[in-house]
Amino acid sequence: MSTPYRFDHNAFAKTLQTTYANLADGEETGAVVKVAGRVMLMRTQGKLAFATMRDSSGEIQLFALEAVTENFAGFADLHLGDWVGITGEVVRTKRGELSVKVAKWERLAEALHNFGDKWAGITDHDLRYRHREADLWANERTRTNLQRRSQVVRSVRERCWAADFVEVETPMLNAIATGASARPFTTHHNALDSDFFLRIAPELWLKRLVVGGFERVFELGRVFRNEGVSPRHNPEFTMLELYAAYWNVDDMMAFTEELVAGVAMDVLGTTEIEYQGRPLSLAAPWKRRTMAELASEAIGEEVSVHTPREHLAKLLEGRGVSVHASWGAGRCLSELFEDAAEADLWEPIFVTEHPVEISPLARRHQVDPELTERFESYCAGRELSNGFTELNDPVDQRSRFEEQARLAAAGDDEAMSIDEDYIKALEWGLPPTAGLGVGIDRLSMLIADEANIKEVIAFPTLKPIRD
RNA sequence: GCGCCGAUAGCUCAAUUGGCAGAGCAUUUGACUCUUAAUCAACAGGUUCCGGGUUCAAGUCCCGGUCGGCGCACCA
């Protein structure tokens, strides 16, 4: 059966429901409209048929009568899920349901599969993730989540634009994977006969644009990390990275808390949200505490990056954390913080002053050179953002990279490689600059009140089915 | 990668101690001029995730595998 190539559509369900909200039962309007959508439910009754049609805005009833509707039998024969285009008058039935009284109808496309049980919908996770197109019709929650994610991205982008940041795009195919600590995906370019890594972060490219004179840049895009999949990790995820010349870490913290609170206002209309049954306030300003303070409080003993490495290692082992031989005091302090304090950070908080050992791209703290001017924001027990005053000294940057190379040689497959081109860029001069990274999926989870990252990704990474 | 749990009709789910594989919805056929998950009647629908094994007999017990959920590890 051939189907139409286009349909003249001029009304949405929700608009009609609003416009004719006060129409009395049994009243007709004389207004003829053309609506389109999917048939979600069908109730036939002899020479009458009632269908519930859904479009992108909402639902409206279609009311067909043998005496009025062209090819009435064909209409009553429509399958649940079929796309239809309807021409008819807006009326309210005797029983009070706003309807389009079908004069003419066309089947725009046929649905060969149904959209699940009309009461329970589709609940099987595997089916929902592999066939999100069906899940979207079966589960309103899925529609809401993906709409909210879209609103989050829009809000982030508009707020960056409003603060005079320029949106740029940098390479996803890279000769070396750098800018973060993670294992990369590898791929191959045939004509260049070269292996490439999918980017794990756009960080170094963006700072090279700042060197080039783009004083405020941001990129909103996908990064790829070859790590485990979990309810909070997808191998490809979306990150906002943003750099501002002349700012320091404090400026960037202020920007971050305003950005996140602003996104919540834009999408939900409030900063006072509920996440997984617990109230959570995203309102600025957020608390600021150093990593050493939080670790000390959590373990009940004063520790810092200057605590002897062996003592920190002993504390970690006492907590059941196995300590790698290559870890210095800085890494041990960070591990202590993560093991003892991180999961209890519910309200948004900036954790600051990370050890230089775990921050190879951040500028040293002005008072204590073993620390950096860095922050990570935590919320609902997990990291939401990461930022710092950028290291702009090419000599120090080279020695940091060399330290990373030593870690790699010692077996750390997440250590960064030396990026000579980046060092050369710094030699041209990076002004004082602060940078920020925000996980958009994690932010969307907060806004959508979802515990599983797959619920805010249209098509999450799944294992292909093998026979 | 490791541990625990799950997979039965298109969808949502039952199936007692190992004893004939079922229901609702969807599909098909019929009735019905105001339905709202319409209702009523009838028909049809199965590689019980895949592959082995134990047993007179396996959806059920055992072994291996696939995919998913949760936890751990890794990480953001």
Side-chain angles (χ1 to χ4, degrees), chain A residues 16-70:
Chain A
L16 296 177
Q17 300 282 8
T18 307
T19 306
Y20 298 106
N22 296 321
L23 189 64
D25 294 358
E27 288 295 303
E28 307 197 331
T29 62
V32 174
V33 297
K34 289 168 174 282
V35 294
R38 276 195 201 270
V39 175
M40 301 308 290
L41 295 168
M42 175 74 81
R43 301 170 289 279
T44 62
Q45 184 164 348
K47 293 167 183 169
L48 303 180
F50 303 88
T52 302
M53 189 203 79
R54 188 192 297 164
D55 63 19
S56 59
S57 74
E59 295 184 343
I60 191 159
Q61 178 168 272
L62 307 176
F63 177 28
L65 303 86
E66 190 176 48
V68 172
T69 304
E70 201 171 82

Side-chain angles (χ1 to χ4, degrees), chain A residues 257-258 260-262 264 270-272 280-287 347-348:
Chain A
E257 61 195 2
E258 290 298 336
V260 171
T270 178
T271 55
E272 309 309 303
L280 180 57
S281 173
L282 299 175
W286 298 351
K287 281 185 202 153
E347 297 282 329

